Each structure stands twice: as C-alpha cells, then as structure tokens.
Amino acid sequence: QVQLVESGGGLVQPGGSLRLSCAASGFTLEYYAIGWFRQAPGKEREGVSCISRSDGRTYYANSVKGRFTISRDNAKNTVYLQMNSLKPEDTAVYYCAADGSGDCSPMTYDYHYWGQGTQVTVSS
C-alpha cells in the first residue's frame, strides 16, 4: 500500500532543532516532488518547503528561509526536514506530501499522497 509516515516531531525549546523524516512505502520517493506543510490550531495549512523530483530544486516559505533545510536520501526512500533556530510560531502539526508531477507547488491539491502528521511544539 502507498504510505507516507512522518516522524521526528516533539517538544523543543526556542532556538533548538528537530529533524523530521518522511518515509515512503509502496512507491519510490525519488520520482515525486515532496512537500512539507504545517497547520497550527485555528490556522490554515501552509506550505513550508518542497524538493523537486528531477533537478532537486528546493522551495522554502519566507518564514523558514535560512532556518529549515529539506533533503532527500534516495537509498532510504526518505525525505528530511532539518529545522534549526526554532521559534514558538513554528509550533504546528507537520505533514509531508508527494506530488507525482515531480514539480513543487504550494497548492495542496497538487499532492497525491499525504502522511498522518507529526506534532512539533516549540515552547519554553
């Protein structure tokens, strides 16, 4: 079965770091664009980052540029989101999603597969 599973979330103090993982089963991640989205309570889901299929170009929301890094490990069929210098406003449920077109898009409807989400809480 096609499945995406996020892991690595948790509670961290402001200024700390977390590394989120998005592991695929039932399909090969290297042929998809992989996006990270987040949703905070009472807020709309927003795009955080994306890595494209073919050329590896990356996208970052302005709010996370310079702090977050997206990467692929094709041997492990996994995409990562390294989050540094975390702020309380980064608190949200983080989701990974796969787009079979291979091109990054901020539009949620372009993504065919979604994980269940992992909670990130940044608080002192």
Side-chain angles (χ1 to χ4, degrees), residues 14-119:
S17 297
L18 287 172
R19 184 178 175 90
L20 305 184
S21 298
C22 176
S25 60
F27 69 104
T28 302
L29 272 183
E30 68 177 309
Y31 302 122
Y32 291 76
I34 305 299
W36 285 96
F37 297 80
R38 67 186 182 187
Q39 188 165 23
K43 302 292 181 65
E44 294 185 351
R45 188 171 298 183
E46 64 174 343
V48 176
S49 185
C50 185
I51 185 166
S52 68
R53 163 187 175 179
S54 57
D55 58 11
R57 294 191 67 181
T58 56
Y59 163 86
Y60 298 96
N62 288 335
S63 59
V64 307
K65 284 181 180 177
R67 300 188 296 119
F68 290 11
T69 303
I70 190 170
S71 62
R72 290 179 181 267
D73 187 338
N74 290 333
K76 296 182 178 180
N77 210 27
T78 300
V79 169
Y80 302 98
L81 185 68
Q82 178 68 45
M83 307 188 297
N84 298 326
S85 302
L86 284 162
K87 305 174 180 179
E89 52 262 44
D90 295 318
T91 296
V93 177
Y94 283 71
Y95 301 88
C96 68
D99 176 5
S101 76
D103 298 319
C104 287
S105 171
M107 300 178 181
T108 59
Y109 61 75
D110 285 331
Y111 293 84
H112 306 292
Y113 307 122
W114 290 81
Q116 83 290 343
T118 186
Q119 177 70 48

